[in-house]
Amino acid sequence: MTAPPLFRRIALIGFGLIGGSIARAARAQGLAGEIVVTARSAKTRARVTELGIVDRVVDTNAEAASDADLVILCIPVGACGAVAQEIASHLRPDAIVSDVGSVKGAVVREMAPYLPTSVHFVPAHPVAGTEHSGPDSGFAELFINRWCILTPPDKTDIAAVDKLRAFWTAIGARVEIMTPQHHDLVLAITSHLPHLIAYTIVGTADELGEVTSSEVMKFSAGGFRDFTRIAASDPTMWRDVFLANKDAVLEMLGTFNEDLSKLTRAMRRGDGEALFEHFTRTRAIRRGIVEIGQDSAAPDFGRLQTGAQKKPE
């Protein structure tokens, strides 16, 4: 006897890399009786219809959310508050409302005031991605062995949290629960600051008068290539991330600048011992990341877009 799906109807608002991967993974695992999708542009909605990987594509956010028992906002964090206001009166009682943004404090502040008390608000952040975007970029294996962080506000129904945890676990993710504030501090150093540095380094290379852009591209070493992959991420999403999590990012940026100043002084003094000590300590952190299984030969920003091309890690 086949078990019933975890959710009768899942609504995805937004259909880029993350939304598309959720849809593909949920379909592959039989987690939804029906998957309903909407997207801001008519072109994207038309493409999702062509792909044939969801049950219905509708024109409005309200129509998508209506009668769904799980609603996931797969949109830039800056748009979440307005969408919450738009769909609030169309949500069914006991629906779980979630998101996939990489900032959680701002999402809670912007969404919670509009959501009725009869629904369960469980923000989420799947820590996975590539530099690609758009409806064709998703793939079902994206979340396998990646973390998904849930940040339920105080007094959130435990059963709803457990059900969303079961959903993410079923599509391959490992699930951690944090407060929104702690999440934002952790992600400021592990994700947001690295992106800011990557955007800055690639921008600096582009502005060098003594080095042509063709030389930058032709002679890119591995480190610079990795930075360009990160800096190719969706600019709208990252604009919203830095504005929404600016306090935590600025705090981490201040610490980073202090460390950079120490290295600058060591180089000026010719202090090889200080440089060696710093590089040795950071190398140990890299080894720790590998040892706990959070890296592979094809890390997030280089992962292929289709499971047919590559087996899950």
Side-chain angles (χ1 to χ4, degrees):
M1 183 175 179
T2 304
L6 188 61
F7 291 99
R8 182 183 53 83
R9 178 179 296 166
I10 294 176
L12 301 175
I13 296 177
F15 202 86
L17 170 68
I18 301 298
S21 296
I22 291 173
R24 290 168 170 92
R27 172 63 61 84
Q29 299 301 322
L31 298 175
E34 183 183 27
I35 300 175
V36 181
V37 168
T38 191
R40 185 179 61 178
S41 78
K43 181 179 179 180
T44 299
R45 296 195 299 270
R47 180 56 184 154
V48 177
T49 300
E50 291 173 357
L51 290 171
I53 56 178
V54 302
D55 298 290
R56 281 195 294 135
V57 179
V58 297
D59 291 339
T60 68
N61 298 330
E63 188 178 358
S66 179
D67 204 34
D69 41 359
L70 173 62
V71 180
I72 305 178
L73 276 60
C74 307
I75 56 179
V77 293
C80 286
V83 172
Q85 183 178 18
E86 183 181 353
I87 66 175
S89 62
H90 301 272
L91 296 167
R92 60 175 290 160
D94 291 327
I96 297 174
V97 178
S98 191
D99 77 309
V100 297
S102 69
V103 178
K104 297 272 72 90
V107 165
V108 172
R109 289 193 301 271
E110 294 295 322
M111 290 185 64
Y114 297 114
L115 298 176
T117 57
S118 60
V119 306
H120 308 293
F121 181 34
V122 188
H125 175 206
V127 188
T130 74
E131 71 272 28
H132 303 291
S133 60
D136 291 275
S137 62
F139 54 105
E141 298 85 3
L142 177 64
F143 309 110
I144 293 176
N145 291 330
R146 303 304 181 196
W147 286 100
C148 181
I149 303 171
L150 307 184
T151 62
D154 291 340
K155 301 180 181 179
T156 302
D157 182 68
I158 297 300
V161 176
D162 288 343
K163 192 170 184 180
L164 191 61
R165 178 201 287 269
F167 173 81
W168 282 104
T169 300
I171 60 177
R174 305 187 221 179
V175 178
E176 183 89 6
I177 296 179
M178 297 180 184
T179 65
Q181 295 74 23
H182 188 66
H183 166 278
D184 288 354
L185 192 63
V186 171
L187 269 294
I189 189 61
T190 62
S191 176
H192 303 166
L193 184 58
H195 275 81
L196 188 65
I197 293 169
Y199 280 117
T200 304
I201 288 176
V202 175
T204 299
D206 185 56
E207 294 166 5
L208 287 175
E210 301 84 359
V211 180
T212 66
S213 59
S214 62
E215 288 174 319
V216 169
M217 290 184 283
K218 182 176 179 180
F219 299 115
S220 289
F224 188 78
R225 285 196 300 270
D226 288 342
F227 279 126
T228 60
R229 281 199 293 270
I230 297 173
S233 300
D234 179 48
T236 300
M237 179 183 76
W238 283 101
R239 175 203 63 193
D240 288 357
V241 165
F242 290 126
L243 292 176
N245 200 30
K246 65 180 180 181
D247 291 340
V249 173
L250 288 172
E251 180 181 342
M252 293 301 107
L253 186 60
T255 301
F256 173 79
N257 283 333
E258 290 175 7
D259 289 342
L260 192 59
S261 295
K262 293 176 184 177
L263 292 176
T264 301
R265 288 194 297 271
M267 285 188 287
R268 284 176 175 162
R269 293 194 306 263
D271 189 348
E273 183 176 344
L275 294 173
F276 183 81
E277 186 279 330
H278 183 83
F279 300 154
T280 300
R281 178 165 55 89
T282 56
R283 187 183 187 191
I285 294 173
R286 166 64 183 174
R287 286 176 172 172
I289 292 172
V290 173
E291 287 171 2
I292 65 172
Q294 285 301 295
D295 194 32
S296 66
D300 279 352
F301 282 96
R303 298 176 81 188
L304 296 176
Q305 297 178 49
T306 61
Q309 291 170 293
K310 182 182 176 208
K311 293 181 180 179
E313 296 163 3

